[in-house]
Amino acid sequence: MGKFIIRLDRKYIIGGNNKVQNGIQNISKFISDIYELTPMQEGMLYHNLLDNKASKYIIQNVFNINGIIDEKYIQDSLRLLTQRHDVLRTAIMHEKSEKPLQVILKNREIEYQRIDLSSLSIDEKSEQIRKLTREEVERGFDLQQDSLVRIILIRYDNISSKVIWTMHHIIVDGWCLPILFGDFIRYYEMLRSGKTEEAIEEAVEKEKKEIGKYSEYITWLEKQNKGLALDYWREELNGYEGFADIEPIEEVADTDETVRVMEFQLNKKATERLQKYAIKNKITMNIIAETTWGIVLQWYNGTDDVVFGKVVSGRNADVLGIDKIVGLFINTVPCRVNSRRGMSVNELLKEMQCKSNEGINYSYTSLTDIQEETEQRHDLIKTLFAYENYYISEESQKNLTSIEMESAREETNYGMNITTFISGSHLCMRVTYNPKKYSIRDIDILYKRIVRVLEQIAEQPNALIEELEI
């Protein structure tokens, strides 16, 4: 069915091929909200319009479920999930409108299919699952027409199943994933225990009233002083003349893959030392990790002044219950690590913490707008750094124990992303990279250098930066 968009008193509405007047009268039956995009969403939309089958900004998780499951409860749980989290019903409208808009449909369903592989051999099952996950990524998303969440339930054998969960990053960030998966399993367990759909629906509506809406974040964003924020970033980047990248050391083999991941961790003793240092000096582990990346990047580029992209959570906005809202809040801003001859690691860390504390007040600024103020423009950012510190409620954590994550996939338009997080007693790092640019040896050498710097900071935080062995 074709679509039309009507502009009415600065509001946009979407309908089918009915007459315009009927569309206006009945629009409330189909749409619950309309609002603009965040700067980050606009960037993702731009890349999608260049190629809507590109694999960038597609999030995919594969889960193992042990035990016999009830497919009806799975489908009912997905429906309850879309009732609980409005953004799962989003359509990104960009044609025939002055600027792109997010339209929240009242009745959009998550795309769902079931596949039975139980009769195949183990090797055949593995091959089919690899094929399905690859095809889901290659399929891409039409942000206007498609459900932005797709679920494939796979019957693996008589007592176990797998779920392929594919989403577009434009509606969610990493913080949202444990919330979504936790709620999904919670609803499934409630249904299985005998609670009626009506009772759960009432509970869902009550939960929704206890926190704000994603649209309230958009409203907050529109009220911020963008001019003041650009002044801050202009000053922060003043005098920066180069660009910092990681150059590969060898040619790579041909591959059809677009993204690979390598994970590693710091030993327990060094992690504990860093944590004690952080508490004593009021410096976050986030700052220690990002400063370490800056020092390594300085070494690779033969300079004491580097800039890279830093992912911020965006959840410092004044919106009720923002840590429990599902939506894309993250943003990317520049992070400058500028050291001086004779400067200690401790001095640099304290300086970086002060800059971070100030910069968070302007972290909502569009990266595109910031880059337009620099000489480098779109060459300003070559690598991306993120620190994961997601909110997981006790209830979600309990529910997540009934499902096992098998694999996870995420890809951006940067050739290298560094993600750090605490897992158990270890500081961990995940390098997501483009295998068409970097070899496994490149990444192996890189991670050893990162670990070596972290170990030295843990042992001697007062050491001079030029004395660090990289």
Side-chain angles (χ1 to χ4, degrees), residues 130-175:
R130 281 194 295 268
K131 181 173 180 286
L132 286 167
T133 54
R134 184 178 66 250
E135 287 176 348
E136 278 296 282
V137 171
E138 292 174 349
R139 175 182 165 188
F141 286 90
D142 182 324
L143 299 181
Q144 289 193 132
Q145 303 292 341
D146 293 347
S147 165
L148 302 184
V149 184
R150 298 197 292 258
I151 304 294
I152 300 178
L153 175 65
I154 299 171
R155 186 185 178 213
Y156 193 77
D157 54 38
N158 291 334
I159 57 171
S160 64
S161 303
K162 292 181 183 290
V163 176
I164 301 174
W165 193 307
T166 309
M167 296 181 285
H168 199 284
H169 207 338
I170 202 166
I171 59 169
V172 293
D173 54 34
W175 188 289

Side-chain angles (χ1 to χ4, degrees), residues 378-443:
H378 294 291
D379 285 326
L380 178 69
I381 303 297
K382 295 293 186 180
T383 65
L384 201 62
F385 174 90
Y387 187 86
E388 290 183 352
N389 187 23
Y390 298 153
Y391 165 84
I392 304 180
S393 68
E394 291 184 8
E395 182 69 19
S396 294
Q397 202 164 24
K398 180 181 70 176
N399 289 325
L400 284 171
T401 61
S402 62
I403 190 169
E404 177 189 0
M405 176 86 76
E406 179 179 299
S407 64
R409 178 203 187 278
E410 184 176 344
E411 181 184 355
T412 72
N413 61 308
Y414 296 96
M416 181 177 293
N417 305 322
I418 308 294
T419 304
T420 60
F421 54 97
I422 297 293
S423 178
S425 303
H426 300 273
L427 175 64
C428 303
M429 285 200 173
R430 181 188 309 122
V431 182
T432 306
Y433 65 98
N434 182 354
K436 298 179 187 296
K437 180 176 181 180
Y438 299 106
S439 68
I440 293 177
R441 183 165 177 256
D442 287 325
I443 306 304

Side-chain angles (χ1 to χ4, degrees), residues 339-354:
S339 58
R340 301 174 294 279
R341 189 77 181 170
M343 189 180 204
S344 71
V345 173
N346 185 50
E347 289 172 323
L348 179 59
L349 286 170
K350 289 183 176 180
E351 190 173 288
M352 292 297 294
Q353 184 68 63
C354 288

Side-chain angles (χ1 to χ4, degrees), residues 152-209:
I152 300 178
L153 175 65
I154 299 171
R155 186 185 178 213
Y156 193 77
D157 54 38
N158 291 334
I159 57 171
S160 64
S161 303
K162 292 181 183 290
V163 176
I164 301 174
W165 193 307
T166 309
M167 296 181 285
H168 199 284
H169 207 338
I170 202 166
I171 59 169
V172 293
D173 54 34
W175 188 289
C176 303
L177 302 185
I179 300 174
L180 285 173
F181 302 148
D183 283 347
F184 168 68
I185 298 168
R186 179 162 60 97
Y187 299 147
Y188 180 85
E189 294 296 338
M190 291 170 75
L191 289 165
R192 195 171 68 167
S193 67
K195 286 202 173 182
T196 65
E197 287 186 59
E198 292 75 15
I200 301 174
E201 286 174 353
E202 288 180 9
V204 166
E205 289 304 315
K206 182 179 179 182
E207 289 173 3
K208 291 177 71 171
K209 293 176 182 177

Side-chain angles (χ1 to χ4, degrees), residues 73-270:
Y73 290 162
I74 292 286
Q75 292 175 295
D76 291 341
S77 298
L78 291 173
R79 185 185 60 76
L80 288 163
L81 199 65
T82 62
Q83 179 184 341
R84 175 65 181 82
H85 302 292
D86 293 354
V87 299
L88 301 183
R89 307 191 306 273
T90 300
I92 306 295
M93 309 307 300
H94 53 82
E95 294 180 355
K96 301 179 182 179
S97 62
E98 292 183 355
K99 62 190 309 181
L101 295 164
Q102 304 186 66
V103 177
I104 307 301
L105 305 174
K106 283 190 173 180
N107 298 311
R108 165 163 279 184
E109 296 180 354
I110 289 175
E111 184 178 317
Y112 171 86
Q113 62 174 308
R114 178 183 183 274
I115 296 175
D116 191 339
L117 301 180
S118 59
S119 63
L120 303 181
S121 68
I122 292 177
D123 289 343
E124 288 173 328
K125 289 175 185 176
S126 297
E127 178 57 33
Q128 282 299 307
I129 290 169
R130 281 194 295 268
K131 181 173 180 286
L132 286 167
T133 54
R134 184 178 66 250
E135 287 176 348
E136 278 296 282
V137 171
E138 292 174 349
R139 175 182 165 188
F141 286 90
D142 182 324
L143 299 181
Q144 289 193 132
Q145 303 292 341
D146 293 347
S147 165
L148 302 184
V149 184
R150 298 197 292 258
I151 304 294
I152 300 178
L153 175 65
I154 299 171
R155 186 185 178 213
Y156 193 77
D157 54 38
N158 291 334
I159 57 171
S160 64
S161 303
K162 292 181 183 290
V163 176
I164 301 174
W165 193 307
T166 309
M167 296 181 285
H168 199 284
H169 207 338
I170 202 166
I171 59 169
V172 293
D173 54 34
W175 188 289
C176 303
L177 302 185
I179 300 174
L180 285 173
F181 302 148
D183 283 347
F184 168 68
I185 298 168
R186 179 162 60 97
Y187 299 147
Y188 180 85
E189 294 296 338
M190 291 170 75
L191 289 165
R192 195 171 68 167
S193 67
K195 286 202 173 182
T196 65
E197 287 186 59
E198 292 75 15
I200 301 174
E201 286 174 353
E202 288 180 9
V204 166
E205 289 304 315
K206 182 179 179 182
E207 289 173 3
K208 291 177 71 171
K209 293 176 182 177
E210 294 173 352
I211 63 172
K213 296 181 178 181
Y214 185 62
S215 58
E216 293 176 42
Y217 169 69
I218 302 294
T219 300
W220 175 88
L221 202 58
E222 291 171 347
K223 292 179 180 178
Q224 301 312 297
N225 190 328
K226 295 179 176 61
L228 183 64
L230 279 176
D231 288 342
Y232 168 82
W233 291 112
R234 196 180 295 114
E235 179 64 25
E236 171 62 19
L237 297 170
N238 183 40
Y240 181 67
E241 298 177 347
F243 62 86
D245 200 359
I246 300 291
E247 293 297 329
I249 60 175
E250 62 183 15
E251 292 186 6
V252 297
D254 289 337
T255 178
D256 293 330
E257 292 180 275
T258 57
V259 62
R260 284 182 187 162
V261 178
M262 178 182 285
E263 288 194 8
F264 54 94
Q265 64 183 24
L266 190 63
N267 66 67
K268 181 179 178 181
K269 184 178 179 180

Side-chain angles (χ1 to χ4, degrees), residues 260-401:
R260 284 182 187 162
V261 178
M262 178 182 285
E263 288 194 8
F264 54 94
Q265 64 183 24
L266 190 63
N267 66 67
K268 181 179 178 181
K269 184 178 179 180
T271 299
E272 289 175 347
R273 283 184 173 178
L274 288 177
Q275 289 174 322
K276 288 178 181 178
Y277 167 82
I279 293 171
K280 180 180 178 180
N281 292 275
K282 298 180 179 179
I283 293 171
T284 64
M285 291 295 287
N286 181 357
I287 293 300
I288 293 174
E290 76 177 42
T291 303
T292 296
W293 177 239
I295 291 171
V296 172
L297 209 52
Q298 287 178 345
W299 185 88
Y300 268 92
N301 289 271
T303 179
D304 57 7
D305 191 9
V306 297
V307 169
F308 53 90
K310 173 181 176 177
V311 178
V312 292
S313 72
R315 293 182 185 257
N316 59 317
D318 185 20
V319 179
L320 177 65
I322 193 170
D323 58 350
K324 300 177 184 178
I325 300 174
V326 170
L328 184 76
F329 291 89
I330 61 167
N331 191 28
T332 299
V333 294
C335 181
R336 185 175 186 179
V337 181
N338 188 5
S339 58
R340 301 174 294 279
R341 189 77 181 170
M343 189 180 204
S344 71
V345 173
N346 185 50
E347 289 172 323
L348 179 59
L349 286 170
K350 289 183 176 180
E351 190 173 288
M352 292 297 294
Q353 184 68 63
C354 288
K355 287 206 301 181
S356 178
N357 293 343
E358 184 180 6
I360 197 69
N361 298 315
Y362 309 102
S363 60
Y364 55 83
T365 316
S366 162
L367 179 60
T368 300
D369 291 344
I370 296 172
Q371 290 178 140
E372 287 299 311
E373 301 292 324
T374 68
E375 293 182 5
Q376 297 86 354
R377 306 284 176 154
H378 294 291
D379 285 326
L380 178 69
I381 303 297
K382 295 293 186 180
T383 65
L384 201 62
F385 174 90
Y387 187 86
E388 290 183 352
N389 187 23
Y390 298 153
Y391 165 84
I392 304 180
S393 68
E394 291 184 8
E395 182 69 19
S396 294
Q397 202 164 24
K398 180 181 70 176
N399 289 325
L400 284 171
T401 61

